[in-house]
Every structure is written in structure tokens, then in C-alpha cells.
Amino acid sequence: YLQSESAAFPAVGAKLMQAEKETGAVTSSGFSPRLGQGVALAYVARQAAIEGTTLVADGLNLTVSTPFPKAQL
């Protein structure tokens, strides 16, 4: 999944960009109360689907993250 740096999240259908090159599109997004941040799911090119990669959609920086974040105890 993609994790926003803030509570904002990209619109469904937003283009994902990496180094000014289109690399995918957002398929769903919303606010995660658990994480306190915006999150999104997307189709992305294989080379962009590496954990830690930063992509941009709707002016938001989104980081490729593992699907199951570590629990905060």
C-alpha cells in the first residue's frame, strides 16, 4: 500500500509519478485512523513497487509500505 506523509490522501484515479514519469494509478484511498495518515492502494509498475520508494500523486508524497505495519504497543 501507499502511505501519505499527512492525513491527506490522493483521489481515486490519480496518476502516480516517479521522477516525472507516470508509473501507475490510485485505485482506492482514504484516511487510516490507526495510522493517523492517508493511505492508498494502486496499480504500479513493478520497478516502483519496492518498499521505501516515494511516488507522487495529487501533489502528495506517498511511500510504498509493507501491507501490514508493525503494531504500535
Side-chain angles (χ1 to χ4, degrees):
Y1 77 101
L2 302 171
Q3 188 170 348
S4 177
E5 296 175 338
S6 68
F9 49 90
V12 172
K15 293 179 182 179
L16 287 165
M17 308 296 287
Q18 182 181 29
E20 299 184 25
K21 180 180 175 189
E22 186 175 341
T23 190
V26 174
T27 58
S28 62
S29 63
F31 176 75
S32 168
R34 179 173 181 255
L35 298 174
Q37 295 175 302
V39 296
L41 297 177
Y43 286 112
V44 296
R46 186 172 291 179
Q47 66 271 16
I50 299 167
E51 186 176 1
T53 300
T54 299
L55 305 174
V56 178
D58 288 345
L60 299 169
N61 289 331
L62 304 167
T63 303
V64 177
S65 301
T66 58
F68 302 102
K70 295 178 182 176
Q72 296 175 349
L73 301 175

